[in-house]
Amino acid sequence: YKLLVRSVVLWNRWRRKFPRIKIILNRADLSGKNLRYANLNRAQLRGANFHKSDLTGASFRLADCDNANFRQTNLTKSRFDGAQVSRVDFSGSTLHLVNFTSCNLSKSRFNSCNLTYAKFNRAYLLDTSFEDAILHRADFSRSIGYRN
């Protein structure tokens, strides 16, 4: 945790060196942090707080982000492929070009988000809210539960 907050470059280098170490950051307070391009693949992030953080280009592939707080966060070009992302609040966030392919996004909130060019291919979207979201060119192909 301390290494991630101190330097994303060093964190990513450490993750490449020790890819099998299980990352457990459940309920971590990472609000307001600059975590651009952080490698959080396969991390356990249940209930983590990323409120108002910069996560541009961050990777959350196959991560467990259930109940996390991503309100008012910049996630431009981030990747969540195959992640567990249910009951997550993304309200007010920038999610331009984000990849949510094959994610479970049930009961998550994308209210007032910019989801321009976001990919929701094969995503599970039961009870997911997109109230007042910008969905220009968002791709919902083969997703389950999306209602336009």
Side-chain angles (χ1 to χ4, degrees):
Y1 169 79
K2 291 178 183 176
L3 181 60
L4 173 61
V5 172
R6 189 175 59 159
S7 170
V8 171
V9 171
L10 293 176
W11 169 267
N12 288 347
R13 191 176 299 150
W14 179 78
R15 292 288 319 265
R16 280 191 300 276
K17 190 172 181 180
F18 302 103
R20 295 191 190 273
I21 291 179
K22 194 169 195 168
I23 305 302
I24 302 172
L25 294 170
N26 295 327
R27 293 179 293 285
D29 185 5
L30 295 162
S31 59
K33 303 293 186 217
N34 180 355
L35 302 174
R36 293 169 63 93
Y37 301 99
N39 176 349
L40 293 164
N41 295 334
R42 299 182 186 273
Q44 288 186 18
L45 300 163
R46 288 177 164 254
N49 183 9
F50 293 98
H51 182 245
K52 291 190 175 181
S53 292
D54 186 353
L55 292 157
T56 301
S59 186
F60 297 88
R61 291 178 178 157
L62 301 171
D64 184 348
C65 302
D66 281 355
N67 296 301
N69 177 5
F70 285 95
R71 287 179 62 89
Q72 298 175 316
T73 298
N74 185 354
L75 285 152
T76 301
K77 296 183 181 178
S78 293
R79 300 193 64 112
F80 285 84
D81 317 44
Q84 179 66 30
V85 199
S86 61
R87 294 180 178 87
V88 171
D89 192 355
F90 290 100
S91 297
S93 294
T94 302
L95 297 145
H96 181 72
L97 291 165
V98 171
N99 190 336
F100 288 111
T101 297
S102 299
C103 286
N104 179 357
L105 292 156
S106 63
K107 299 183 181 173
S108 290
R109 291 184 302 281
F110 291 93
N111 302 334
S112 302
C113 288
N114 180 348
L115 290 156
T116 304
Y117 291 104
K119 292 182 182 177
F120 291 93
N121 312 70
R122 298 181 307 278
Y124 186 73
L125 301 166
L126 191 64
D127 296 325
T128 302
S129 175
F130 292 94
E131 188 175 319
D132 298 321
I134 299 168
L135 298 170
H136 179 69
R137 303 265 177 141
D139 183 358
F140 290 92
S141 60
R142 298 189 352 223
S143 63
I144 297 169
Y146 174 68
R147 292 192 202 132
N148 194 346

